[in-house]
């Protein structure tokens, strides 16, 4: 049994980023800059942003937190993004989602310069991913793959099931697993709320990726012996944070599994640091 420990793995990645940031800063005279835009005061978003800013401090990336009020007008938020696009000290722009009611997020995301789109949500970057071209990849799916890589669990030739088809997790994760490479090259099935027999689909998989948003939804009966389970879910319940998988039920039955918390969550932030460093290098070479 392998515990896919995202906390330790992410710490190792942050240390690598920190060393490279220090090297780049000595060479180029400045560190990468990340703008984090947090509109309004959603408590969960505040926690995520705090963790991202903390990771920047640890890696030497300069973070700039912008906190426009909840009632900011769409046009003013758009103007802010355009300003950040033009700012030579900013290499990455992240708009924390969800935006408050009344603001239209897709048109905001569409405005971010694709070269500064460190969340990898811009249609250009999604398109590049679909086409197998290099580009900034969405952090959560990239974190899932990186976690497998760092535990030597290649997906090549294996059956992978992704439960969830959101634009930020399920869909890009499925696309990554379809690319060529040792940690891709999977035979991918994508499931969602309209899947006819979800348990049967999941039971066939060597690799199960759960991105559903329902606590303990994937149970031991649904997973085959020796599978690898990557749980993306973060659900706030009365008994604390829970994943989409029944960790206790699966432990002992599967070959490897991520805990929640301490699995994919910290990996997502580590990938954001990697993306910001990559965007910085590309920016300086332009
Ligand atoms: P969404 O709500 O956008 O998508 C959920 C997906 O699950 C949808 O495709 C939905 O299907 C599917 N689904 C819902 N119910 C069922 C069901 N009964 N059977 C099969 N499929 C179902 O969520 P996200 O993708 O944004 O997030 C998923 C989870 O991951 C959440 O818990 C979220 O908090 C967490 N998360 C964690 C991150 C991290 O860093 N660890 C980052 C981002 C998210 P349909 O499309 O048909 O509605």
């Amino acid at each position: 049994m392998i515990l896919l420990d995202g906390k330790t793995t992410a710490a190792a990645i942050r240390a690598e980023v920190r060393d490279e940031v220090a090297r780049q800063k000595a060479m180029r005279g400045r560190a990468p800059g990340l703008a984090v835009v947090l509109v309004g005061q959603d408590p969960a978003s505040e926690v995520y942003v705090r963790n991202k800013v903390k990771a920047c401090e640890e890696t030497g990336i300069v973070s700039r937190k912008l906190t426009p009020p909840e009632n900011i007008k769409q046009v003013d938020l758009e103007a802010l993004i355009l300003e950040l696009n033009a700012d030579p000290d900013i290499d990455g722009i992240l708009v924390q989602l969800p935006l408050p009611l009344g603001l239209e997020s897709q048109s905001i995301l569409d405005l971010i310069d694709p070269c500064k789109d460190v969340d990898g949500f811009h249609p250009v970057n999604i398109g590049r991913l679909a086409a197998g071209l290099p580009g900034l990849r969405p952090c959560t799916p990239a974190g899932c793959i990186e976690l497998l890589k760092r535990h030597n669990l290649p997906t090549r030739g294996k059956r992978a099931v992704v439960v969830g088809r959101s634009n930020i997790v399920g869909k890009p994760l499925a696309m990554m697993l379809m690319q060529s490479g040792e940690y891709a090259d999977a035979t991918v099935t994508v499931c969602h709320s309209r899947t006819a027999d979800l348990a049967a689909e999941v039971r066939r998989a060597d690799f199960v990726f759960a991105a559903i948003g329902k606590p303990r939804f994937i149970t031991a009966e649904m997973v085959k012996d020796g599978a690898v389970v990557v749980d993306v879910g973060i659900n706030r319940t009365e008994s604390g944070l829970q994943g989409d998988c029944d960790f206790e039920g699966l432990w002992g039955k599967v070959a490897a599994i991520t805990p929640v918390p301490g699995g994919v969550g910290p990996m997502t932030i580590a990938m954001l640091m990697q993306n910001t460093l990559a965007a910085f290098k590309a920016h300086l070479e332009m």
Side-chain angles (χ1 to χ4, degrees), residues 1-97:
M1 276 291 299
I2 304 173
L3 181 73
L4 299 170
D5 180 351
K7 208 170 156 192
T8 308
T9 311
I13 295 169
R14 291 197 305 273
E16 290 164 18
V17 172
R18 185 194 59 217
D19 292 348
E20 181 60 12
V21 165
R23 210 177 68 83
Q24 290 286 331
K25 193 176 170 189
M27 214 162 64
R28 321 248 202 182
R30 78 167 175 91
L34 174 66
V36 183
V37 181
L38 172 63
V39 186
Q41 288 166 336
D42 175 59
S45 294
E46 279 176 350
V47 174
Y48 291 134
V49 165
R50 200 177 314 136
N51 289 337
K52 289 169 187 176
V53 169
K54 209 171 116 206
C56 285
E57 282 161 9
E58 193 187 327
T59 51
I61 290 173
V62 179
S63 67
R64 192 190 299 170
K65 186 172 154 192
L66 299 114
T67 54
E70 192 176 83
N71 62 357
I72 188 173
K73 291 201 180 74
Q74 178 89 19
V75 54
D76 294 329
L77 187 55
E78 289 174 3
L80 177 64
I81 301 297
L82 294 178
E83 249 173 64
L84 294 169
N85 280 348
D87 190 325
D89 292 331
I90 293 297
D91 307 287
I93 303 169
L94 179 155
V95 177
Q96 186 65 44
L97 299 177

Side-chain angles (χ1 to χ4, degrees), residues 74-86 93 95 104-117 121-123:
Q74 178 89 19
V75 54
D76 294 329
L77 187 55
E78 289 174 3
L80 177 64
I81 301 297
L82 294 178
E83 249 173 64
L84 294 169
N85 280 348
I93 303 169
V95 177
E104 212 277 295
S105 53
Q106 192 58 51
S107 53
I108 299 291
L109 298 181
D110 287 356
L111 267 191
I112 297 176
D113 178 344
C115 300
K116 297 191 178 188
D117 169 41
F121 295 159
H122 192 284

Side-chain angles (χ1 to χ4, degrees), residues 226-241:
V228 173
V229 177
V230 177
D231 189 349
V232 180
I234 300 179
N235 305 292
R236 286 177 176 77
T237 71
E238 278 173 7
S239 47
L241 277 193

Side-chain angles (χ1 to χ4, degrees), residues 48 52 121 139-141 144 162-171 190-195 198 210-215 217-218 222 231-236 242-244 260 263-269:
Y48 291 134
K52 289 169 187 176
F121 295 159
C139 298
T140 301
C144 295
V162 178
V163 190
R165 57 173 165 181
S166 73
N167 286 337
I168 61 168
V169 190
K171 212 181 280 174
V190 181
C191 300
H192 44 77
S193 66
R194 303 298 176 114
T195 297
L198 183 81
I212 310 160
K214 294 205 154 73
F217 188 81
I218 304 289
M222 295 167 73
D231 189 349
V232 180
I234 300 179
N235 305 292
R236 286 177 176 77
Q242 299 225 325
D244 286 345
V260 177
V264 176
M267 291 301 291
T268 296
I269 298 184

